[in-house]
Amino acid sequence: MDSSYFMPTRVIIGDDCIFSNRALLKDLGEKALIVSGKSSAKANGSLADMARALEANGQSSFLYDSVMSNPTVDCIYEAAEAVKREGCDFVVGLGGGSPLDAAKGAAVLALNPVEKSGLFSAAFTRALPIVAVPTTAGTGSEVTPTAVLTNHAAKTKTSLKFPALFPRFAFLDAKYTLGLSRATTINTAVDALTHAVEGMLSRTAGALTDTLAKESVAVVAGCFGALSGDRELDMGIRQKLLYAAMLAGMVIANTGTNVVHSMGYSLTYHRNIDHGRANGLIFAEFLRAIEQKEKNSDSKRIPVILSCLKVRSPDEFAGILDGLFGKKETFTAAELEQYAEQASKARSIANGIFRFEKAELLDIFKKSIG
Ligand code: NAP
Ligand code: ZN
């Protein structure tokens, strides 16, 4: 059994884990740049908890709270300016994947001045220490070496991916996610699911990533009932989703994503559809396509994935996703043609166990949202 796995982030899970473990932050320096979105970090208590921990340590901080969803290249340059101007020694991301990724971008740019035009072709080996506090349960960015950015020059989303971008610490306190709307909770949970499943369908999947992925899929699947109901999502469900999202992040930290993410980026870039929903809209059809390809191959991953999902077929899974997502957006033939073209050129599409030609991608798009 050949396998290798690398994830250097120290993960701390639990109620009040930032304050209880504040001593860990002391070695990172005197001043932090705290990176967040406009409002959620203030509302969910994560900003106050981080500020209290830093203050108790005698450390200071500056808040950069201008991260938008799907952060842009300009946003990370602005945050990096704040790091330098304020003389910060480390960067703390509080929020969903967007602030966490922006924090990573700022941490890397602070040590590596590079022109915007050269950002995605540069190789970065150093970044300031990064601390991640996820307040959505989806991206797993707290344990990945990746920052996904809106790349207007290429009209899509493009990733920076270097070991230096692994956060030093990830603090997972599910109480910050209690106020997430049901729609965002569903979108982000499905994002985590796509990470785990794409990881299992990656050319670089191994025994270790498979173990993490299977557990992640099973935990999210165990939450489908609660997600599709109308009862308030309690702390127990929140903890499970945050845990499963982190496990799925540990998977893609090593396997990367592939077909579904390559396709979903266009829906987000061109139509502003939330990242997790964008992936989820095409997810079931993608599994059907893999099931077809596996009929002529030695690969037999779909039965394993379906068993973790506790469904008998991709059709049954499609029914669950339809129930979670409600009415789907509609797209013109020209839009889908453009998205298939773009996805076929995405860097990560070749990470999957099967090659997908543009016509096959278009077919998945048409059957999902045509
Ligand atoms: P997000 O864009 O970070 O946040 C979505 C919305 O949720 C924002 O309006 C945010 O408000 C709000 N929000 C966040 N936490 C909340 C809370 N606890 N309570 C109430 N509202 C809250 O969404 P996301 O799905 O977590 O992240 C998506 C981004 O991550 C995309 O750019 C995607 O490409 C990227 N991603 C990265 C990785 C990786 O490995 N790095 C993996 C997958 C996806 P505020 O703006 O006020 O905070
Ligand atoms: Zn994702």
Side-chain angles (χ1 to χ4, degrees):
M1 184 202 294
D2 295 349
S3 210
S4 108
Y5 185 81
F6 180 64
M7 200 290 283
T9 304
R10 177 155 174 181
V11 175
I12 298 128
I13 302 176
D15 187 29
D16 240 353
C17 61
I18 298 178
F19 196 74
S20 318
N21 294 278
R22 62 190 179 282
L24 293 172
L25 302 171
K26 277 187 181 165
D27 288 344
L28 303 183
E30 289 174 10
K31 187 167 183 180
L33 183 83
I34 299 181
V35 175
S36 77
K38 271 272 163 296
S39 55
S40 71
K42 297 173 188 108
N44 63 35
S46 57
L47 177 59
D49 286 355
M50 183 53 73
R52 189 164 61 99
L54 292 171
E55 202 180 309
N57 284 344
Q59 294 165 296
S60 60
S61 62
F62 178 83
L63 176 64
Y64 174 85
D65 61 359
S66 301
V67 182
M68 67 296 284
S69 282
N70 307 297
T72 56
V73 169
D74 286 349
C75 171
I76 66 163
Y77 276 80
E78 193 176 271
E81 267 315 303
V83 172
K84 290 185 238 171
R85 190 184 63 238
E86 298 295 326
C88 299
D89 307 301
F90 61 109
V91 184
V92 177
L94 304 178
S98 298
L100 301 194
D101 287 0
K104 293 176 182 180
V108 82
L109 288 177
L111 292 191
N112 305 274
V114 55
E115 295 289 324
K116 286 180 190 172
S117 58
L119 177 66
F120 294 113
S121 50
F124 299 113
T125 53
R126 295 181 327 131
L128 289 177
I130 299 157
V131 177
V133 181
T135 67
T136 61
T139 72
S141 176
E142 66 275 14
V143 289
T144 73
T146 309
V148 187
L149 301 170
T150 295
N151 178 2
H152 287 308
K155 290 198 170 8
T156 185
K157 300 189 72 182
T158 308
S159 298
L160 300 176
K161 188 173 184 190
F162 303 101
L165 292 187
F166 274 114
R168 190 78 65 90
F169 302 112
F171 293 103
L172 277 66
D173 187 337
K175 69 170 171 283
Y176 303 138
T177 67
L178 280 170
L180 274 173
S181 69
R182 187 171 296 268
T184 304
T185 306
I186 289 171
N187 293 344
T188 46
V190 172
D191 186 29
L193 207 51
T194 56
H195 296 162
V197 170
E198 282 181 82
M200 292 172 79
L201 295 169
S202 164
R203 287 193 295 129
T204 53
L208 294 163
T209 55
D210 271 359
T211 301
L212 295 163
K214 285 182 205 166
E215 170 74 356
S216 176
V217 172
V219 174
V220 178
C223 297
F224 283 158
L227 288 171
S228 60
D230 48 19
R231 293 241 306 269
E232 203 174 313
L233 297 165
D234 64 19
M235 191 62 167
I237 294 289
R238 296 294 183 185
Q239 286 169 336
K240 284 183 189 167
L241 291 173
L242 193 59
Y243 175 63
M246 181 210 63
L247 291 176
M250 291 171 71
V251 174
I252 57 168
N254 280 248
T255 63
T257 55
N258 48 78
V259 181
V260 175
H261 274 67
S262 299
M263 298 177 76
Y265 286 150
S266 284
L267 307 190
T268 300
Y269 185 85
H270 295 285
R271 294 283 298 271
N272 205 25
I273 295 174
D274 279 2
H275 173 70
R277 181 177 174 91
N279 293 331
L281 292 176
I282 47 185
F283 192 17
E285 204 51 55
F286 166 69
L287 291 187
R288 287 191 183 109
I290 296 279
E291 189 179 45
Q292 286 308 313
K293 285 182 183 279
E294 285 199 327
K295 286 187 175 153
N296 304 314
S297 139
D298 292 338
S299 169
K300 298 289 172 244
R301 307 249 77 194
I302 288 293
V304 181
I305 292 165
L306 295 178
S307 142
C308 295
L309 285 166
K310 297 184 189 63
V311 295
R312 284 174 299 272
S313 64
D315 288 354
E316 190 181 343
F317 180 52
I320 293 172
L321 287 183
D322 286 349
L324 290 174
F325 283 139
K327 197 171 165 358
K328 292 181 178 182
E329 294 79 353
T330 52
F331 297 82
T332 64
E335 281 177 303
L336 298 185
E337 172 76 30
Q338 180 195 358
Y339 303 167
E341 170 74 21
Q342 208 151 22
S344 69
K345 293 182 182 150
R347 264 197 306 216
S348 60
I349 199 145
N351 289 343
I353 52 172
F354 293 112
R355 190 173 163 70
F356 278 82
E357 302 298 338
K358 181 187 154 191
E360 296 173 293
L361 299 174
L362 185 57
D363 192 49
I364 295 176
F365 271 132
K366 281 184 179 162
K367 287 177 175 157
S368 306
I369 48 177

